[in-house]
Each structure stands twice: as C-alpha cells, then as structure tokens.
Amino acid sequence: MAISIPDELVENIRQSVNIVDVVSPYVALKKQGRNLFGRCPWHEERTPSFSVNEEKQIFHCFSCGRGGNAFTFLMEKEELSFPQAVAKVASMTGIELDSTYTVSSDEKRQISQHQRDLLALYDEATKFYHYLLVNAEIGDDALQYLHQRGLDDTTIDAYMLGYAPEGDALYNYFNEKKVDYQLMRESELFIVWDDGTLHDRFVDRILFTIRNREGAPIAFSGRRMSNDTTIAKYMNSPESALFDKSEELFNFDLAKTTIKKSKVVILFEGFMDVIAAFQAGIHNGVASMGTSLTKTQVRRLGQSAEEINIAYDADTAGQAATYRAIDLINKNSSLKIKIINIPDGQDPDEYLRSQGIDALREVLTRNLKDPVEFNLNYLRKDYDLSNQSDIFNYIEQVLPALAQVKEPLVRQTYMQQLATEFNVSSSGLEEQLRNLMMQQQASRQTENTRVKDNYVPILETPNLVEKPVLSQVEQAEQILLTWMLKHQDAWLKVTSRLDFHFVDVVYETLFMLADGYKQKNQIQEIDNWADFMDFVKEPDLVRVLSQLDQIDDAMMQELDQVDEYIGVLLNRAPLEEKIKQKQRELLEAKQVNNEVLATQLSFEVLSLLREKQAAQSNQQ
C-alpha cells in the first residue's frame, strides 16, 4: 500500500540539494551581491527580477511574486505534486525512495478514500449518461440535437457528453448496484427530498462533463432539452468535496499540453465554444464556469501560458465579462492579453456552424485585437460623445487604461487618436497622462516613514523592478506577520491580545499554520523558512511566504512599533473598507446618473475621510 514520504526524509532530501542546481536548467543565473539573479521562467522580462538566495535555499520573483524552495519551484514549473517534486529532487541527489511511497503520476494530489469513492461514482455516472446518449433510444433526440449543432461522434466521445433522461434513471442504476446511500447523498448528483429520498438532479438535459486537471469527472453542467423557459437553460452541479467552481477550468486537462507547448491559451465563455474550437483543430481552449473568471483560474493559466486570447460572446454580458477579465488578468498575472473579434457578433459555436471549420480556425488564430482598443471602445457605451461634458468624462475614464500601457509608441498612437477625434489639445492630454503615470509610479515607491506618519514602510526590491501596490493595511499585515515568525517577543506581544486577528485570510491562515509548525517542532522562532515552506505546501501560501522573507530586518527593530501595526489592523482597516464601499457606491450612482444619491454619497465619503484623517492625527 502506498504511503506518504516521511517528513524527516523530505527534509533530508531538501538539504541534500542546492537550489541553484535545481533552478539552473531553467534560468541563467548571475551573481549579484549576496543573491543570484536571472530572468523569471514564468514571464517575459527585460530586467532580471528572479532571485535565488543560496544561503536560505529559496527563490523569489520580485515581478510576478512567485517564490518558495526547490520543491516549490519544480511543482510550479513542471506542474508536479509535492511528492513528485520530492522524488525528482531525490533522483538528482542519488537518494533512492522506497517503492511504497506515493509519488506516481496518478497520485498528483493526496486524497482521502472518501474522495476516491466519490471520484469512482462520478466516473460511473459519466459512463452511464454517455451510454444513454450514444447507444440508447431514449437519447436519440439529444444526440440529434448535438449533431445539428455541428458535433461529430468523435468529439462527442472525446468529451464524454451525456444525456440525463426524465425520472430517476441514475438513482435506479446506482441503487441496483447497491451503492451506499450516504455516498450518493454527499455526491450532489441527487436532490434530497424532505422525506430523505434521493432523486436525480439532472433531468432531461444534455450533460457536459467537468473534469479536474487529471482528467477525472467531478461535476456536470446540464443544458435543458425542453422548450420550457420557466426552467433554467443551464444547470451546474453545486460545489462539493470534489468540485470548486472558482478553481476549475473546463477542458484544462485536455488543453494543458498544447498550452504549455504553444504558450498561448484561448479563454471561451461557453463549453460548446471550447468543443467547437477543438473540432476545428484548436486544442488550447478553456472556459471558466460561466463568465466569472477568478484569480485562482488566472494564476493557474499563468503557470502554463504567456499569452491569453479572450473569446467571450459579443453580447452585452460577454463584453462586460471581457472588460472585467482584462482587469483581473492584468492585476494577477503577467499574461499578454489579446481579444478575439468574431465577425457578425456571433459566438465561436455559431460561427463554426455558419462558416465552417477553416473559417473558425482563421478567426481564432488571426482576428486579434489589442485590449486597450477594446477598453476604449467598450467604455464609449456609457457616454453621449456628442456632449462635451461626457467627452471629458470619457477621457477621464480611458486615461488610466492608457497609463498602464508600457510601450511609448502605442500610448502615443492612442493619445493622438483621442486628440483628433474629440478635437482636444494633444499636449493637454499628454500632460494629464504624464501626471497620472507619475501618480501611479509614486504609489509604487517604498515608503520609509513610520506607521504614525500615515505609511507603513515596505521592503526594497532590485533596481528597475516595480513592486505591487499594497494598501497600508496589507503592508502592516506583511511586516507584522514576518516579525512574529522571526522574533518570539513580537509573537508573544501580538498573541496576548485576545481581540487580534489578521484582516486578510491568507495572513491569518499562515499565522495558524505557523502556530502548528512551531508546536510540532517545539521551537519559538522560525529560522528555517525552506522547511516551513514544505510544511505549508500550498503554492499560493508559499509564494506569500517568499515575499515576506524579503522584508528588511531593519523594519523589525523597535518592539513598541508592534502596537502601532496592531492599531492599523484593528482600527484603520474597518474604516478603510467602509470608505472603499462608499466610493464604489458613489461611482455606481454616477454611472446611472443618479445625481441626488451621488451628492449624498459624496458627503458620506467626505465625512469618512475626515474621520480617517482625525484618527491619523491622534496617532501622531
């Protein structure tokens, strides 16, 4: 029976390798001061921002934020599980692992027996529904519908599409097989009535199988076959022990090899769009669950791709989703963005049926637009550009988008277009843009004054590398948590406060993990960060830890300052969140031209800002 690799052996393997030897095959490293630097292997950059600390045996990219130890590097670069990364390092150092240890490719994630049982249940349900679609008379209408939508039998089989008939076909099938009632109940494949009886969740629907990254079925999305508009057109499985819709991407398991090879991923809105592209020979397409793209999904795509092409629908909802996606991707990855423009306002599936495979392939690979051009066009819909006031408001909205453009020539081209179209001074626009860019640059500069002077100092990074903009509260969280991990006196001072908690869940999670790590190892201070990263394991948390380790020890000298950081988190954070909420409401009121509400909210925002200013004055 396979068992996990013992912690002692993991630590022995980690200490037996130099992280430089692990990283060097992927990154050309050059000594610079105490650390080694190179160009990050996850994104393009002209100035090396990828750092390796040989003394601490950890790495950190000051640009994209990735970081960790030798195991973490291999997990993210090769998409390995933790045991697989340990095994690969062991093979580099000549350490032989017992065959009973769990490291094989089919064990990429450590899962419980209960989860294995659920996965087996979903696999059986997928096969059952697929059989009813392609082999049973009851699925003829659904199969004919898919054929009319342009899907051939090979594609239908590749995606294991299925049909859920009326009645309780799946329940009866599992019941005959004596499947455990509680397992069926927890699977979310069924609806539980008040009397405790189970009934099929999906009825008279074509089913799209949602698989995890290893290709195992974990959920379904069902499209209704009837014309009854009182029933939802699409119905998805609820979240379960197997399925978290914020993490999963439809078709990622089939697309990941092509994505890694081409470094390009196409983001579609619907499952049928992904399948249509697949049938057209485009195998690097994925879709989120609806249009709600998440940070987790963006970061996963950023691990495999360098460019993302967005092919959402041309309707109002699709365009709004594209606008949100551009902002989310820019803030959470270094992915280069392009927008796919499908002619005649059609979605990819419609275009395939109307124009054919070759035409769809041509559009998806060549009909690409710049995201700035998309944003400029998208923002127009909110303004009457025959009105001078709206012209100025529109320009005020688009300038921040232009300020994010790194290429001077591209910026200049769009600025000239604005000046010509609206007959405004190009020099005036350039001055506004220059001021805006200076403000953005200033917000990225290291603040070197104390908390009581309204700012929390943050770490310095290598030359020419921009740091992410952190709120004052998050800066306080970072420094305070680092201080607590490295110095027991700070830990005791903070934990003596019964009312204390971190604002952001990631820092609260690391705080709790650190408490467990310290108790397990019977230590007071964490000085072996590489080992603590092994304990944490979760890549996103390890990435945050690598950022914390870069904080200058000079920021953690005067113990009295701990109270000031605590004050920021307990007093200022709620007030700042209230201000942000009111500012969001004010912006929404302006967008719908509700002048009365906008005036009221303006006074409320002003009052809260004065309250914040007074609180800051009292701390000085």
Side-chain angles (χ1 to χ4, degrees), residues 291-525:
T291 57
S292 300
L293 188 67
T294 67
K295 294 179 181 179
T296 302
Q297 292 165 340
V298 168
R299 288 166 181 164
R300 178 185 295 184
L301 293 176
Q303 292 175 3
S304 302
E306 296 175 359
E307 178 180 311
I308 183 167
N309 298 340
I310 304 174
Y312 282 171
D313 292 353
D315 58 15
T316 301
Q319 295 299 283
T322 300
Y323 181 73
R324 293 194 302 270
I326 291 171
D327 183 60
L328 186 72
I329 294 166
N330 276 330
K331 289 180 178 177
N332 294 280
S333 76
S334 59
L335 286 164
K336 183 179 180 181
I337 304 172
K338 292 181 181 177
I339 312 300
I340 295 177
N341 181 33
I342 299 178
D344 304 323
Q346 294 181 310
D347 62 39
D349 174 42
E350 292 171 335
Y351 196 77
L352 170 67
R353 284 180 280 137
S354 65
Q355 302 299 322
I357 286 178
D358 291 339
L360 177 61
R361 187 186 300 118
E362 181 75 12
V363 164
L364 293 179
T365 55
R366 299 186 183 278
N367 211 11
L368 306 175
K369 291 173 58 176
D370 183 89
V372 178
E373 179 185 355
F374 173 87
N375 281 341
L376 296 186
N377 290 331
Y378 177 77
L379 290 170
R380 285 175 177 268
K381 67 181 180 59
D382 295 328
Y383 301 96
D384 174 10
L385 297 181
S386 64
N387 179 289
Q388 194 65 38
S389 177
D390 270 15
I391 289 175
F392 289 138
N393 289 333
Y394 169 69
I395 292 175
E396 185 178 355
Q397 283 287 308
V398 301
L399 283 178
L402 291 180
Q404 297 290 339
V405 178
K406 296 179 180 179
E407 299 83 0
L409 183 59
V410 177
R411 282 200 309 268
Q412 184 64 34
T413 300
Y414 283 116
M415 291 289 287
Q416 192 60 50
Q417 288 179 6
L418 288 175
T420 302
E421 179 179 0
F422 299 114
N423 193 27
V424 295
S425 166
S426 59
S427 61
L429 284 178
E430 289 174 1
E431 183 177 356
Q432 279 187 264
L433 183 66
R434 189 162 49 249
N435 290 337
L436 187 60
M437 293 176 67
M438 290 175 63
Q439 291 173 15
Q440 292 181 352
Q441 179 66 26
S443 69
R444 292 176 169 85
Q445 299 301 313
T446 303
E447 301 293 345
N448 290 316
T449 51
R450 290 164 58 89
V451 177
K452 66 180 182 181
D453 292 325
N454 304 332
Y455 295 98
V456 179
I458 60 175
L459 63 154
E460 294 205 9
T461 58
N463 294 335
L464 304 180
V465 179
E466 292 184 339
K467 298 172 289 298
V469 180
L470 298 179
S471 68
Q472 182 180 336
V473 171
E474 188 167 0
Q475 291 178 50
E477 288 184 294
Q478 285 196 351
I479 295 178
L480 186 57
L481 179 57
T482 306
W483 203 338
M484 293 171 64
L485 298 181
K486 292 185 175 182
H487 300 282
Q488 178 69 0
D489 52 358
W491 179 280
L492 294 175
K493 192 175 184 66
V494 173
T495 54
S496 66
R497 294 281 299 262
L498 298 180
D499 60 338
F500 177 81
H501 63 87
F502 285 97
V503 177
D504 293 299
V505 65
V506 63
Y507 301 113
E508 184 71 12
T509 301
L510 285 172
F511 166 55
M512 291 188 292
L513 286 171
D515 189 30
Y517 177 79
K518 291 170 69 174
Q519 291 184 31
K520 174 188 173 184
N521 293 281
Q522 297 184 338
I523 57 175
Q524 293 187 334
E525 298 174 351

Side-chain angles (χ1 to χ4, degrees), residues 238-258:
E239 295 193 345
S240 67
L242 299 178
F243 175 53
D244 183 341
K245 68 179 181 180
S246 68
E247 293 186 359
E248 301 302 333
L249 289 156
F250 178 75
N251 199 52
F252 185 74
D253 62 309
L254 296 181
K256 61 185 179 183
T257 300
T258 305

Side-chain angles (χ1 to χ4, degrees), residues 127-139:
K127 294 174 181 176
F128 174 74
Y129 284 136
H130 182 65
Y131 176 84
L132 294 184
L133 174 69
V134 300
N135 293 314
E137 184 178 348
I138 199 171

Side-chain angles (χ1 to χ4, degrees), residues 5 9-10 12-17 22 70-71 74 80 82-98 101 103:
I5 305 173
L9 181 54
V10 170
N12 183 36
I13 293 170
R14 188 187 61 75
Q15 290 185 0
S16 67
V17 70
V22 175
F71 299 145
L74 291 173
L80 302 177
F82 181 75
Q84 287 175 314
V86 173
K88 185 163 185 174
V89 172
S91 67
M92 293 173 61
T93 60
I95 297 176
E96 293 188 7
L97 293 180
D98 193 286
Y101 294 144
V103 296

